[in-house]
Amino acid sequence: MTQQKKRILVADDDPILRQLAEDVLSDEYEVMQAIDGQDAWEKALVFRPDLVITDLMMPRMHGYELCEHLRGPEGIKGVRIIVASAKTFATDKAQ
């Protein structure tokens, strides 16, 4: 009996970073890419990922908003979120 691969959604407006993540993860996980937060939210509702890796600074919907949507009443129960960002200000970490 084959076990279904866990699903990871990678949301970043940098195509090189998205592809790098997919290249590294795709042997063990089913990976889907999203070009920004809005795209990630729309794909998450269909793809139903186990994990979302997101950047904070993206067009249309930033990473904070995406996290709020994923955790909100219309979100995905139990989804894990990893925020990967170059932002280093203490106020950003506190949010």
Side-chain angles (χ1 to χ4, degrees):
M1 181 166 107
T2 12
Q3 194 173 21
Q4 186 177 12
K5 288 183 176 183
K6 296 283 186 176
R7 295 176 170 186
I8 298 177
L9 176 61
V10 178
D12 199 306
D13 56 335
D14 184 330
I16 294 171
L17 292 176
R18 285 194 318 268
Q19 191 58 54
L20 176 64
E22 182 168 350
D23 291 347
V24 169
L25 297 168
S26 63
D27 284 345
E28 295 185 43
Y29 303 95
E30 187 178 345
V31 180
M32 179 172 279
Q33 296 183 28
I35 61 171
D36 59 34
Q38 183 65 42
D39 186 37
W41 172 239
E42 292 167 5
K43 287 180 176 177
L45 293 174
V46 175
F47 185 62
R48 309 302 288 186
D50 300 289
L51 172 69
V52 174
I53 302 172
T54 184
D55 186 18
L56 291 179
M57 302 300 295
M58 295 182 290
R60 294 198 308 158
M61 179 190 294
H62 57 70
Y64 295 123
E65 290 175 292
L66 175 59
C67 290
E68 289 174 2
H69 278 67
L70 291 168
R71 294 282 189 228
E74 301 297 319
I76 300 169
K77 186 175 179 169
V79 67
R80 305 275 197 268
I81 302 169
I82 295 176
V83 176
S85 181
K87 292 187 81 170
T88 59
F89 297 109
T91 55
D92 295 321
K93 291 177 185 175
Q95 293 184 6

Coordinates of all heavy atoms in Angstrom, one line a residue:
M1 N 0.8 -1.2 0.0 CA 0.0 0.0 0.0 C 0.9 1.2 0.0 O 1.8 1.4 0.8 CB -0.9 0.0 1.2 CG -1.8 1.1 1.3 SD -3.1 0.8 2.6 CE -2.5 1.9 3.8
T2 N 0.7 2.1 -0.9 CA 1.5 3.4 -1.0 C 0.8 4.5 -0.2 O -0.4 4.7 -0.3 CB 1.6 3.8 -2.5 OG1 0.7 3.2 -3.3 CG2 3.0 3.7 -3.0
Q3 N 1.7 5.2 0.5 CA 1.2 6.3 1.3 C 1.2 7.6 0.4 O 2.2 7.8 -0.3 CB 2.0 6.5 2.5 CG 1.4 7.4 3.5 CD 2.2 7.3 4.8 OE1 3.4 7.0 4.8 NE2 1.6 7.7 5.9
Q4 N 0.2 8.4 0.5 CA 0.1 9.6 -0.3 C 1.1 10.6 0.3 O 1.3 10.7 1.5 CB -1.3 10.2 -0.2 CG -1.5 11.4 -1.1 CD -2.9 11.9 -1.0 OE1 -3.7 11.5 -0.2 NE2 -3.3 12.8 -1.9
K5 N 1.8 11.3 -0.6 CA 2.8 12.3 -0.2 C 2.1 13.5 0.5 O 1.0 13.8 0.1 CB 3.5 12.8 -1.4 CG 4.5 11.9 -2.0 CD 5.2 12.6 -3.2 CE 6.3 11.7 -3.8 NZ 7.0 12.5 -4.9
K6 N 2.7 14.0 1.5 CA 2.3 15.2 2.1 C 2.3 16.4 1.1 O 3.2 16.4 0.2 CB 3.1 15.6 3.4 CG 3.0 14.6 4.5 CD 1.7 14.7 5.2 CE 1.7 13.8 6.4 NZ 0.6 13.9 7.2
R7 N 1.5 17.4 1.3 CA 1.4 18.5 0.3 C 2.0 19.7 0.9 O 1.7 20.1 2.0 CB 0.0 18.7 -0.1 CG -0.6 17.6 -0.9 CD -2.0 17.8 -1.2 NE -2.5 16.8 -2.1 CZ -3.7 16.8 -2.6 NH1 -4.5 17.8 -2.4 NH2 -4.0 15.9 -3.5
I8 N 2.8 20.4 0.1 CA 3.4 21.7 0.5 C 3.1 22.7 -0.6 O 3.3 22.5 -1.7 CB 5.0 21.6 0.7 CG1 5.3 20.6 1.8 CG2 5.6 22.9 1.0 CD1 6.8 20.3 1.9
L9 N 2.7 23.9 -0.1 CA 2.4 25.0 -1.0 C 3.5 26.1 -0.7 O 3.7 26.5 0.5 CB 1.0 25.6 -0.7 CG 0.6 26.9 -1.4 CD1 0.6 26.7 -3.0 CD2 -0.8 27.3 -1.0
V10 N 4.2 26.5 -1.7 CA 5.3 27.5 -1.6 C 4.8 28.8 -2.2 O 4.5 28.8 -3.4 CB 6.6 27.0 -2.3 CG1 7.6 28.1 -2.1 CG2 7.0 25.7 -1.7
A11 N 4.7 29.9 -1.4 CA 4.2 31.2 -1.9 C 5.3 32.2 -1.8 O 5.8 32.5 -0.7 CB 3.0 31.6 -1.0
D12 N 5.8 32.7 -2.9 CA 6.8 33.7 -3.0 C 6.8 34.3 -4.4 O 6.5 33.6 -5.4 CB 8.2 33.0 -2.8 CG 9.3 34.0 -2.4 OD1 9.4 35.0 -3.1 OD2 9.9 33.7 -1.4
D13 N 7.0 35.6 -4.4 CA 6.9 36.3 -5.7 C 8.3 36.2 -6.5 O 8.3 36.6 -7.6 CB 6.6 37.8 -5.5 CG 7.5 38.5 -4.6 OD1 8.1 37.9 -3.7 OD2 7.5 39.8 -4.7
D14 N 9.2 35.5 -5.9 CA 10.5 35.3 -6.5 C 10.5 33.9 -7.2 O 10.5 32.9 -6.5 CB 11.7 35.4 -5.5 CG 13.0 35.3 -6.2 OD1 13.2 34.6 -7.2 OD2 14.0 35.8 -5.6
P15 N 10.5 33.8 -8.5 CA 10.4 32.5 -9.2 C 11.6 31.6 -8.9 O 11.4 30.4 -8.9 CB 10.2 32.9 -10.6 CG 10.7 34.3 -10.8 CD 10.5 34.9 -9.5
I16 N 12.7 32.2 -8.7 CA 13.9 31.4 -8.4 C 13.8 30.7 -7.1 O 14.1 29.5 -6.9 CB 15.2 32.2 -8.5 CG1 15.4 32.7 -9.9 CG2 16.4 31.4 -8.0 CD1 16.5 33.7 -10.1
L17 N 13.3 31.4 -6.1 CA 13.1 30.8 -4.7 C 12.0 29.7 -4.7 O 12.2 28.7 -4.1 CB 12.8 31.9 -3.7 CG 14.0 32.8 -3.4 CD1 13.6 33.9 -2.4 CD2 15.2 32.1 -2.9
R18 N 11.0 30.0 -5.5 CA 9.9 29.0 -5.6 C 10.4 27.7 -6.2 O 10.1 26.6 -5.7 CB 8.7 29.5 -6.4 CG 7.8 30.5 -5.7 CD 6.5 30.7 -6.5 NE 6.6 30.8 -7.9 CZ 6.8 32.0 -8.6 NH1 6.9 33.1 -7.9 NH2 6.9 32.0 -9.9
Q19 N 11.1 27.9 -7.3 CA 11.6 26.7 -8.0 C 12.7 25.9 -7.1 O 12.7 24.7 -7.1 CB 12.2 27.1 -9.3 CG 12.5 25.9 -10.2 CD 11.3 25.0 -10.5 OE1 10.3 25.5 -11.0 NE2 11.4 23.7 -10.2
L20 N 13.5 26.7 -6.4 CA 14.5 26.0 -5.6 C 13.8 25.2 -4.5 O 14.2 24.0 -4.2 CB 15.4 27.1 -4.9 CG 16.4 26.6 -3.9 CD1 17.4 25.7 -4.5 CD2 17.1 27.8 -3.2
A21 N 12.8 25.8 -3.9 CA 12.0 25.0 -2.9 C 11.4 23.8 -3.5 O 11.5 22.7 -2.9 CB 11.0 25.9 -2.2
E22 N 10.8 23.9 -4.6 CA 10.2 22.7 -5.3 C 11.3 21.7 -5.6 O 11.1 20.5 -5.4 CB 9.4 23.1 -6.5 CG 8.8 21.9 -7.2 CD 7.8 22.3 -8.2 OE1 7.4 23.5 -8.4 OE2 7.3 21.3 -8.9
D23 N 12.4 22.1 -6.2 CA 13.5 21.2 -6.5 C 14.0 20.4 -5.3 O 14.2 19.2 -5.4 CB 14.6 21.9 -7.1 CG 14.3 22.4 -8.5 OD1 13.3 22.1 -9.1 OD2 15.1 23.3 -9.0
V24 N 14.1 21.1 -4.2 CA 14.6 20.4 -2.9 C 13.5 19.5 -2.3 O 13.9 18.4 -1.8 CB 15.0 21.5 -1.9 CG1 15.3 20.9 -0.5 CG2 16.2 22.3 -2.4
L25 N 12.3 19.9 -2.4 CA 11.2 19.1 -1.7 C 10.5 18.1 -2.5 O 9.8 17.2 -1.9 CB 10.2 20.2 -1.1 CG 10.7 21.2 -0.1 CD1 9.7 22.3 0.1 CD2 11.1 20.4 1.2
S26 N 10.5 18.2 -3.8 CA 9.6 17.4 -4.6 C 9.8 15.9 -4.6 O 8.9 15.1 -5.0 CB 9.6 17.9 -6.1 OG 10.8 17.8 -6.7
D27 N 11.0 15.4 -4.2 CA 11.2 14.0 -4.1 C 10.3 13.3 -3.1 O 9.9 12.2 -3.2 CB 12.7 13.7 -3.9 CG 13.6 13.8 -5.1 OD1 13.0 14.0 -6.2 OD2 14.8 13.9 -4.9
E28 N 10.1 14.1 -2.0 CA 9.4 13.5 -0.8 C 8.0 14.1 -0.6 O 7.2 13.5 0.1 CB 10.2 13.7 0.4 CG 11.5 12.9 0.4 CD 12.3 13.1 1.8 OE1 11.6 13.0 2.8 OE2 13.5 13.3 1.7
Y29 N 7.7 15.2 -1.3 CA 6.4 15.9 -1.1 C 5.8 16.3 -2.4 O 6.5 16.5 -3.4 CB 6.6 17.2 -0.2 CG 7.3 16.9 1.1 CD1 8.7 17.0 1.3 CD2 6.5 16.5 2.2 CE1 9.3 16.8 2.5 CE2 7.1 16.2 3.4 CZ 8.5 16.4 3.6 OH 9.1 16.1 4.8
E30 N 4.5 16.4 -2.4 CA 3.8 17.0 -3.5 C 3.9 18.5 -3.3 O 3.4 19.0 -2.3 CB 2.4 16.5 -3.6 CG 1.6 17.0 -4.8 CD 0.2 16.4 -4.8 OE1 -0.1 15.5 -4.1 OE2 -0.6 16.9 -5.6
V31 N 4.5 19.3 -4.3 CA 4.7 20.7 -4.1 C 3.9 21.5 -5.1 O 3.9 21.1 -6.3 CB 6.2 21.0 -4.2 CG1 6.5 22.5 -4.1 CG2 7.0 20.2 -3.2
M32 N 3.3 22.5 -4.7 CA 2.6 23.5 -5.6 C 3.2 24.9 -5.3 O 3.5 25.2 -4.2 CB 1.1 23.5 -5.4 CG 0.4 24.5 -6.3 SD -1.4 24.3 -6.2 CE -1.6 22.9 -7.3
Q33 N 3.3 25.6 -6.4 CA 3.9 27.0 -6.2 C 2.7 28.0 -6.4 O 1.8 27.8 -7.1 CB 4.9 27.3 -7.3 CG 6.1 26.4 -7.3 CD 7.1 26.8 -8.4 OE1 7.2 28.0 -8.8 NE2 7.9 25.8 -8.8
A34 N 2.9 29.1 -5.7 CA 2.0 30.3 -5.8 C 2.8 31.5 -6.0 O 3.8 31.7 -5.3 CB 1.1 30.4 -4.6
I35 N 2.4 32.4 -6.9 CA 3.2 33.6 -7.2 C 3.0 34.8 -6.2 O 3.8 35.7 -6.2 CB 2.9 34.1 -8.6 CG1 1.5 34.5 -8.8 CG2 3.4 33.1 -9.6 CD1 1.2 35.2 -10.1
D36 N 2.0 34.7 -5.4 CA 1.8 35.8 -4.4 C 0.7 35.2 -3.4 O 0.3 34.1 -3.5 CB 1.3 37.1 -5.0 CG 0.0 37.0 -5.8 OD1 -0.9 36.2 -5.4 OD2 -0.1 37.7 -6.8
G37 N 0.4 36.0 -2.4 CA -0.5 35.6 -1.3 C -1.9 35.3 -1.8 O -2.5 34.3 -1.4
Q38 N -2.4 36.1 -2.8 CA -3.8 35.8 -3.3 C -3.8 34.5 -4.1 O -4.7 33.7 -3.9 CB -4.2 37.0 -4.2 CG -5.6 36.8 -4.8 CD -6.7 36.9 -3.7 OE1 -6.6 37.7 -2.8 NE2 -7.7 36.0 -3.8
D39 N -2.8 34.3 -4.9 CA -2.7 33.0 -5.6 C -2.5 31.8 -4.6 O -3.2 30.8 -4.8 CB -1.4 33.1 -6.5 CG -1.3 31.9 -7.5 OD1 -2.3 31.4 -8.0 OD2 -0.1 31.5 -7.7
A40 N -1.8 32.0 -3.6 CA -1.6 31.0 -2.6 C -2.9 30.6 -1.9 O -3.3 29.5 -1.7 CB -0.6 31.4 -1.5
W41 N -3.7 31.7 -1.5 CA -5.0 31.5 -0.8 C -5.9 30.7 -1.8 O -6.5 29.7 -1.3 CB -5.6 32.8 -0.4 CG -7.0 32.7 0.1 CD1 -8.0 33.4 -0.4 CD2 -7.4 32.0 1.2 NE1 -9.2 33.1 0.3 CE2 -8.8 32.2 1.3 CE3 -6.8 31.1 2.1 CZ2 -9.6 31.6 2.3 CZ3 -7.6 30.5 3.1 CH2 -9.0 30.8 3.2
E42 N -6.0 31.1 -3.0 CA -6.9 30.4 -4.0 C -6.5 28.9 -4.2 O -7.3 28.0 -4.2 CB -6.9 31.2 -5.3 CG -7.6 32.5 -5.2 CD -7.4 33.4 -6.3 OE1 -6.8 33.0 -7.4 OE2 -7.8 34.6 -6.3
K43 N -5.2 28.7 -4.3 CA -4.7 27.3 -4.5 C -4.8 26.5 -3.2 O -5.1 25.3 -3.3 CB -3.2 27.4 -5.0 CG -3.1 27.9 -6.4 CD -1.7 27.9 -6.9 CE -1.7 28.3 -8.4 NZ -0.3 28.4 -8.9
A44 N -4.6 27.1 -2.1 CA -4.7 26.4 -0.8 C -6.1 25.8 -0.6 O -6.3 24.7 -0.1 CB -4.4 27.3 0.4
L45 N -7.1 26.5 -1.0 CA -8.5 26.0 -0.9 C -8.8 24.8 -1.7 O -9.6 24.0 -1.4 CB -9.5 27.2 -1.3 CG -9.5 28.3 -0.3 CD1 -10.4 29.4 -0.8 CD2 -9.9 27.9 1.1
V46 N -8.1 24.7 -2.8 CA -8.2 23.5 -3.7 C -7.2 22.4 -3.4 O -7.6 21.2 -3.3 CB -8.1 23.9 -5.2 CG1 -8.2 22.7 -6.1 CG2 -9.2 24.9 -5.5
F47 N -6.0 22.8 -3.2 CA -4.8 21.9 -3.0 C -4.8 21.3 -1.6 O -4.3 20.2 -1.5 CB -3.5 22.7 -3.3 CG -2.3 21.9 -3.3 CD1 -2.0 20.8 -4.2 CD2 -1.3 22.2 -2.4 CE1 -0.8 20.1 -4.2 CE2 0.0 21.5 -2.4 CZ 0.2 20.5 -3.3
R48 N -5.3 22.0 -0.7 CA -5.4 21.5 0.7 C -4.1 21.1 1.3 O -3.9 19.9 1.6 CB -6.5 20.4 0.9 CG -7.8 20.7 0.3 CD -8.5 21.9 0.9 NE -8.9 21.8 2.3 CZ -9.6 22.7 2.9 NH1 -10.0 23.8 2.3 NH2 -10.0 22.5 4.2
P49 N -3.1 22.0 1.3 CA -1.7 21.6 1.7 C -1.7 21.3 3.2 O -2.5 21.7 4.0 CB -0.9 22.9 1.4 CG -1.9 24.0 1.6 CD -3.2 23.4 1.1
D50 N -0.7 20.4 3.5 CA -0.3 20.1 4.9 C 0.5 21.2 5.5 O 0.5 21.4 6.7 CB 0.4 18.8 5.0 CG -0.5 17.7 4.5 OD1 -1.5 17.3 5.1 OD2 -0.2 17.2 3.4
L51 N 1.3 21.9 4.6 CA 2.3 22.9 5.0 C 2.3 24.0 4.0 O 2.2 23.7 2.8 CB 3.7 22.3 5.2 CG 4.8 23.3 5.4 CD1 4.7 23.9 6.8 CD2 6.2 22.6 5.2
V52 N 2.3 25.3 4.5 CA 2.5 26.4 3.6 C 3.8 27.1 4.0 O 4.0 27.4 5.2 CB 1.3 27.4 3.7 CG1 1.6 28.7 2.9 CG2 0.0 26.7 3.3
I53 N 4.7 27.3 3.0 CA 5.9 28.1 3.2 C 5.6 29.4 2.5 O 5.4 29.4 1.3 CB 7.1 27.4 2.6 CG1 7.3 26.0 3.3 CG2 8.4 28.2 2.8 CD1 8.4 25.1 2.7
T54 N 5.7 30.5 3.2 CA 5.4 31.8 2.6 C 6.4 32.9 2.9 O 6.9 32.9 4.0 CB 3.9 32.2 3.0 OG1 3.6 33.5 2.3 CG2 3.8 32.5 4.5
D55 N 6.5 33.8 1.9 CA 7.3 35.0 2.1 C 6.3 36.0 2.7 O 5.1 35.8 2.7 CB 7.8 35.5 0.8 CG 8.7 36.7 0.9 OD1 9.3 36.9 2.0 OD2 8.9 37.4 -0.1
L56 N 6.8 37.1 3.3 CA 6.0 38.1 3.9 C 5.7 39.2 2.8 O 4.5 39.6 2.7 CB 6.6 38.7 5.1 CG 6.7 37.9 6.3 CD1 7.4 38.7 7.5 CD2 5.4 37.4 6.8
M57 N 6.7 39.6 2.1 CA 6.5 40.7 1.2 C 6.2 40.2 -0.2 O 7.0 39.7 -0.9 CB 7.8 41.5 1.2 CG 8.2 42.1 2.5 SD 7.0 43.2 3.3 CE 7.1 44.5 2.1
M58 N 4.9 40.3 -0.5 CA 4.4 39.8 -1.8 C 3.3 40.8 -2.3 O 2.6 41.4 -1.5 CB 3.8 38.4 -1.7 CG 4.8 37.3 -1.4 SD 4.0 35.7 -1.4 CE 3.0 35.8 0.1
P59 N 3.1 40.9 -3.6 CA 2.1 41.7 -4.1 C 0.7 41.1 -3.9 O 0.6 39.9 -3.6 CB 2.4 41.8 -5.6 CG 3.2 40.6 -5.9 CD 3.9 40.3 -4.7
R60 N -0.3 41.9 -4.1 CA -1.8 41.5 -4.0 C -2.2 41.1 -2.6 O -3.1 41.7 -2.0 CB -2.2 40.5 -5.0 CG -2.1 41.0 -6.4 CD -2.9 40.1 -7.4 NE -2.6 38.7 -7.3 CZ -3.5 37.8 -7.8 NH1 -4.6 38.1 -8.3 NH2 -3.1 36.5 -7.7
M61 N -1.5 40.2 -2.0 CA -1.8 39.8 -0.6 C -0.5 39.4 0.0 O 0.2 38.5 -0.4 CB -2.8 38.6 -0.5 CG -3.1 38.2 0.9 SD -4.0 36.6 1.0 CE -5.6 37.0 0.2
H62 N -0.1 40.1 1.1 CA 1.2 39.8 1.7 C 1.0 38.6 2.6 O -0.1 38.0 2.9 CB 1.8 41.0 2.4 CG 0.9 41.6 3.5 ND1 0.7 41.0 4.7 CD2 0.3 42.8 3.5 CE1 -0.1 41.7 5.4 NE2 -0.4 42.8 4.7
G63 N 2.2 38.1 3.1 CA 2.2 36.9 3.9 C 1.4 36.9 5.2 O 0.8 35.9 5.6
Y64 N 1.4 38.1 5.9 CA 0.6 38.2 7.1 C -0.9 38.0 6.8 O -1.6 37.3 7.5 CB 0.7 39.6 7.7 CG 2.1 39.9 8.2 CD1 2.8 41.1 7.8 CD2 2.7 39.2 9.2 CE1 4.0 41.4 8.2 CE2 3.9 39.5 9.7 CZ 4.6 40.6 9.2 OH 5.8 40.9 9.7
E65 N -1.4 38.6 5.7 CA -2.8 38.4 5.3 C -3.1 36.9 4.9 O -4.1 36.4 5.3 CB -3.2 39.2 4.1 CG -3.2 40.7 4.4 CD -3.5 41.5 3.2 OE1 -2.6 41.6 2.3 OE2 -4.6 42.1 3.0
L66 N -2.1 36.3 4.2 CA -2.3 34.9 3.9 C -2.4 34.0 5.1 O -3.3 33.2 5.2 CB -1.1 34.4 3.0 CG -1.1 32.9 2.7 CD1 -2.4 32.5 1.9 CD2 0.2 32.6 1.9
C67 N -1.6 34.3 6.1 CA -1.6 33.5 7.4 C -3.0 33.7 8.1 O -3.6 32.8 8.6 CB -0.5 34.0 8.3 SG 1.1 33.4 7.8
E68 N -3.5 35.0 8.1 CA -4.8 35.2 8.7 C -5.9 34.5 7.9 O -6.8 33.9 8.6 CB -5.1 36.7 8.6 CG -4.3 37.5 9.6 CD -4.4 39.0 9.4 OE1 -5.3 39.5 8.6 OE2 -3.7 39.8 10.1
H69 N -5.9 34.4 6.6 CA -6.9 33.7 5.9 C -6.8 32.2 6.2 O -7.8 31.5 6.4 CB -6.7 33.9 4.4 CG -7.3 35.2 3.8 ND1 -6.8 36.4 4.2 CD2 -8.3 35.4 3.0 CE1 -7.5 37.3 3.6 NE2 -8.4 36.7 2.8
L70 N -5.5 31.6 6.2 CA -5.4 30.2 6.4 C -5.8 29.8 7.8 O -6.4 28.7 8.0 CB -3.9 29.8 6.3 CG -3.3 29.9 4.8 CD1 -1.8 29.8 4.8 CD2 -3.9 28.8 4.0
R71 N -5.7 30.7 8.8 CA -6.1 30.4 10.2 C -7.5 30.8 10.5 O -8.0 30.5 11.5 CB -5.1 31.1 11.2 CG -3.7 30.6 11.1 CD -3.6 29.3 11.9 NE -2.2 28.9 12.0 CZ -1.8 27.7 11.7 NH1 -2.6 26.8 11.3 NH2 -0.5 27.4 11.9
G72 N -8.1 31.6 9.6 CA -9.5 32.1 9.8 C -10.5 31.0 9.7 O -10.3 29.9 9.4
P73 N -11.8 31.4 9.8 CA -12.9 30.5 9.8 C -13.1 29.8 8.4 O -13.6 28.7 8.4 CB -14.1 31.4 10.1 CG -13.7 32.8 10.1 CD -12.2 32.8 10.1
E74 N -12.7 30.4 7.4 CA -12.7 29.8 6.0 C -11.4 29.1 5.7 O -11.3 28.7 4.5 CB -13.0 30.9 5.0 CG -14.3 31.7 5.2 CD -15.6 30.8 5.2 OE1 -15.6 29.9 4.3 OE2 -16.5 31.0 6.0
G75 N -10.5 29.1 6.6 CA -9.2 28.5 6.3 C -9.1 27.0 6.3 O -10.1 26.3 6.2
I76 N -7.9 26.5 6.5 CA -7.6 25.1 6.4 C -7.2 24.6 7.8 O -6.2 25.0 8.4 CB -6.5 24.8 5.4 CG1 -6.9 25.3 4.1 CG2 -6.2 23.3 5.4 CD1 -5.8 25.3 3.0
K77 N -8.1 23.8 8.4 CA -7.8 23.3 9.8 C -6.5 22.5 9.8 O -6.3 21.6 9.0 CB -9.0 22.5 10.2 CG -8.9 22.0 11.6 CD -10.2 21.3 12.1 CE -9.9 20.9 13.5 NZ -11.1 20.4 14.2
G78 N -5.7 22.8 10.8 CA -4.5 22.0 11.0 C -3.3 22.3 10.1 O -2.3 21.7 10.2
V79 N -3.5 23.2 9.1 CA -2.3 23.5 8.2 C -1.2 24.2 9.0 O -1.4 25.0 9.9 CB -2.8 24.4 7.1 CG1 -3.1 25.8 7.5 CG2 -1.7 24.5 6.0
R80 N 0.0 23.7 8.7 CA 1.2 24.3 9.3 C 1.7 25.4 8.4 O 1.6 25.3 7.2 CB 2.3 23.2 9.5 CG 1.9 22.0 10.3 CD 2.0 22.2 11.7 NE 2.0 21.0 12.5 CZ 0.9 20.5 13.0 NH1 -0.2 21.0 12.8 NH2 1.0 19.4 13.7
I81 N 2.3 26.4 9.0 CA 2.8 27.6 8.2 C 4.2 27.9 8.6 O 4.5 28.0 9.8 CB 1.9 28.8 8.4 CG1 0.5 28.6 8.1 CG2 2.5 30.0 7.6 CD1 -0.5 29.7 8.5
I82 N 5.1 28.0 7.7 CA 6.5 28.5 7.9 C 6.6 29.8 7.1 O 6.3 29.9 5.9 CB 7.5 27.5 7.3 CG1 7.5 26.2 8.1 CG2 8.9 28.1 7.4 CD1 8.4 25.1 7.6
V83 N 7.0 30.8 7.8 CA 7.2 32.1 7.2 C 8.7 32.3 7.0 O 9.5 32.2 7.9 CB 6.7 33.3 8.1 CG1 7.0 34.6 7.5 CG2 5.2 33.1 8.3
A84 N 9.1 32.5 5.7 CA 10.5 32.7 5.4 C 10.6 34.1 4.8 O 10.0 34.4 3.8 CB 10.9 31.6 4.4
S85 N 11.4 34.9 5.4 CA 11.5 36.3 5.0 C 12.9 36.9 5.3 O 13.5 36.5 6.3 CB 10.4 37.1 5.6 OG 10.5 38.5 5.1
A86 N 13.3 37.9 4.5 CA 14.5 38.6 4.8 C 14.3 39.7 5.7 O 15.2 40.4 6.1 CB 15.1 39.1 3.5
K87 N 13.0 40.0 6.1 CA 12.7 41.1 7.0 C 13.3 40.8 8.4 O 13.1 39.7 8.9 CB 11.2 41.3 7.1 CG 10.6 41.9 5.8 CD 9.2 42.2 6.0 CE 9.2 43.6 6.7 NZ 7.8 44.2 6.7
T88 N 14.0 41.8 9.0 CA 14.6 41.5 10.3 C 14.3 42.5 11.4 O 14.9 42.5 12.4 CB 16.2 41.6 10.1 OG1 16.5 42.8 9.6 CG2 16.6 40.5 9.2
F89 N 13.3 43.3 11.1 CA 12.9 44.3 12.2 C 12.1 43.6 13.3 O 11.3 42.8 13.0 CB 12.1 45.4 11.5 CG 12.8 46.2 10.5 CD1 12.5 46.1 9.2 CD2 13.8 47.1 10.9 CE1 13.2 46.9 8.2 CE2 14.5 47.8 10.0 CZ 14.2 47.7 8.6
A90 N 12.4 44.1 14.5 CA 11.7 43.5 15.7 C 10.2 43.6 15.6 O 9.4 42.7 16.0 CB 12.2 44.1 17.0
T91 N 9.7 44.7 15.0 CA 8.2 44.9 14.9 C 7.6 43.9 13.9 O 6.5 43.5 14.1 CB 7.9 46.3 14.4 OG1 8.6 46.6 13.2 CG2 8.2 47.4 15.4
D92 N 8.4 43.5 12.9 CA 7.9 42.4 12.0 C 7.8 41.1 12.7 O 6.9 40.3 12.5 CB 8.8 42.3 10.8 CG 8.8 43.6 9.9 OD1 7.7 44.2 9.8 OD2 9.8 44.0 9.4
K93 N 8.8 40.7 13.5 CA 8.8 39.5 14.2 C 7.6 39.4 15.2 O 7.1 38.3 15.4 CB 10.1 39.3 14.9 CG 11.3 39.1 13.9 CD 12.6 38.9 14.7 CE 13.7 38.8 13.7 NZ 15.0 38.8 14.4
A94 N 7.3 40.5 15.8 CA 6.2 40.5 16.8 C 4.8 40.3 16.2 O 3.9 39.9 16.9 CB 6.2 41.9 17.5
Q95 N 4.6 40.6 14.9 CA 3.3 40.4 14.3 C 3.0 39.0 14.1 O 2.7 38.1 13.8 CB 3.2 41.2 13.0 CG 3.3 42.6 13.3 CD 3.1 43.4 12.0 OE1 2.8 42.9 10.9 NE2 3.2 44.7 12.0

